[in-house]
């Protein structure tokens, strides 16, 4: 009997990771009766991370996580849970206060309709929590912790902010006007747990499920710093909110993970708090109080003269796969041409002329630029003269070949 109950507990714990619990087994009358699903999930976190590590080695021949990055992510997760030692979660505490004093209707806690409505409500509110965390600089200061890893694996899911919970509760308060706190306490945990397993590169595509649910494929885009990835795919469990509100993006080019301006540090307090210091220093640059406040409440990319959310003009430029392929081919052409010249091979002049044509074209259309703007004209002049020289050399070789043939 005890063994059967233990097996049932393990089954519920595992299924809670994938939002596979039924309303009957996860509806409770009192908040005190709601299981601590997140705390109980620790063995499953560990087990799935080990499984990902093993599968990653088998599929790729290498580790999907580095020790330094993985330890930083796990440390951030532990730090983010420290307030729970002193108090109940901010979201649930605030929710219970609003429910106790201001709720308008009381939907039945044991109704499947209430359970599913709460699921949709929590997931909808999470979309806006997440979106505002990207679009308001002071909220981004908390959320950037989760995006600071340049890797994408299950340990990344644990890289959570210590401070985000102190503002996210605001977005859930409308639900407290009608939905019982005990059902909210279930779904706020299940929503968080679901998002653990989608932090992996090993699951590529889930077919028709991609249309409705947030998946590893969609969430990889969200963690990318490629231009097409920035501020996209905010959904928690459902991706339909992004499709409705125009923030959805499909995975196309290979995703480059991490912050637009990487911090490249693993000290946990720096990871958690460095962006607040950055905002304070940035605000001190401006003279007017309006600009100082806008530094904190506009988008992270905002500057005077730009829209509220700013733009990505100042972001480091990401290289597409086609660009990388082109650069690789050009480097190979350069090295081959150099070898031909050293060997004094007949085709050396033609090959070097081709290389100079490509370089002049790239320089003319700003695909490459010198380190100093003052060198732009001298560089173009030098390459053009080189092109002329090697063109004359090619013509001379062709004339020489024709004379020998005659």
């Amino acid at each position: 009997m005890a063994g059967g109950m233990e097996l049932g507990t393990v089954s519920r714990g595992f299924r809670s990771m994938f939002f596979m619990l039924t309303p009957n087994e996860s509806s409770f009358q009192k908040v005190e009766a709601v299981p601590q699903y997140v705390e109980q999930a620790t063995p499953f976190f560990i087990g799935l991370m080990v499984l990902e590590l093993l599968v990653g080695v088998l599929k790729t021949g290498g580790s999907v996580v580095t020790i330094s990055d993985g330890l930083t992510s796990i440390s951030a997760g532990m730090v983010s849970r420290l307030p729970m030692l002193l108090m109940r979660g901010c979201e649930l505490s605030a929710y219970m206060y609003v429910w106790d004093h201001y709720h308008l209707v009381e939907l039945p806690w044991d109704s499947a309709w209430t359970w599913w409505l709460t699921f949709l409500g929590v997931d909808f509110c999470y979309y806006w929590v997440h979106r505002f965390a990207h679009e308001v600089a002071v909220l981004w200061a908390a959320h950037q912790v989760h995006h600071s890893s340049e890797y994408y694996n299950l340990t990344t899911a644990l890289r959570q902010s210590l401070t985000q919970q102190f503002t996210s509760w605001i977005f859930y308060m409308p639900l407290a006007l009608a939905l019982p706190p005990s059902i909210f306490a279930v779904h706020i945990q299940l929503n968080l747990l679901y998002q653990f397993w989608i932090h992996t590169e090993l699951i590529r595509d889930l077919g028709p499920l991609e249309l409705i649910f947030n998946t590893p494929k969609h969430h990889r885009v969200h963690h990318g710093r490629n231009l097409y990835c920035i501020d996209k795919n905010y959904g928690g469990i459902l991706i339909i909110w992004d499709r409705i509100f125009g923030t959805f993006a499909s995975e196309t080019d290979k995703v480059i993970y991490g912050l637009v301006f990487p911090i490249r540090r693993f000290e946990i307090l720096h990871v958690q708090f460095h962006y607040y210091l950055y905002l304070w220093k940035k605000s001190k640059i401006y003279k007017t109080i309006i600009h100082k406040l806008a530094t904190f409440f506009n988008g992270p990319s905002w500057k005077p003269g730009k829209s509220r959310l700013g733009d990505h003009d100042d972001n480091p430029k990401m290289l597409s796969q086609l660009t990388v392929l082109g650069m690789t081919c050009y480097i190979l052409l350069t090295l081959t041409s150099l070898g031909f010249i050293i060997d004094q091979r007949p085709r050396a002049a033609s090959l070097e002329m081709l290389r100079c044509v490509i370089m002049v074209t790239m320089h003319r259309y700003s695909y490459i630029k010198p380190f100093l703007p003052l060198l732009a004209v001298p560089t173009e002049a030098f390459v053009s003269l080189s092109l002329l020289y090697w063109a004359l050399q090619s013509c001379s070789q062709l004339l020489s070949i024709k004379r020998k043939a005659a």
Side-chain angles (χ1 to χ4, degrees), residues 71 198 304 306 313 348 362 378 385 394:
L71 286 177
I198 62 177
K306 294 187 176 183
D313 292 346
M362 290 194 298
L385 289 173
S394 296

Side-chain angles (χ1 to χ4, degrees), residues 366-398:
S366 300
Y367 288 111
I368 57 173
K369 296 179 180 179
F371 292 110
L372 296 175
L374 291 175
L375 297 177
V377 174
T379 300
E380 187 169 357
F382 175 77
V383 177
S384 299
L385 289 173
S386 297
L387 171 59
L388 178 61
Y389 172 79
W390 290 110
L392 292 174
Q393 287 290 319
S394 296
C395 291
S396 175
Q397 287 182 358
L398 287 173

Side-chain angles (χ1 to χ4, degrees), residues 225-256:
R225 52 189 167 107
N226 314 54
L227 191 58
Y228 85 93
C229 298
I230 296 175
D231 297 339
K232 300 295 183 182
N233 298 3
Y234 296 115
I237 295 176
L238 301 175
I239 202 66
I240 58 173
W241 313 121
D242 290 282
R243 297 185 187 277
I244 292 171
F245 296 111
T247 53
F248 176 76
S250 297
E251 186 179 41
T252 53
D253 293 340
K254 178 177 173 57
V255 178
I256 308 300

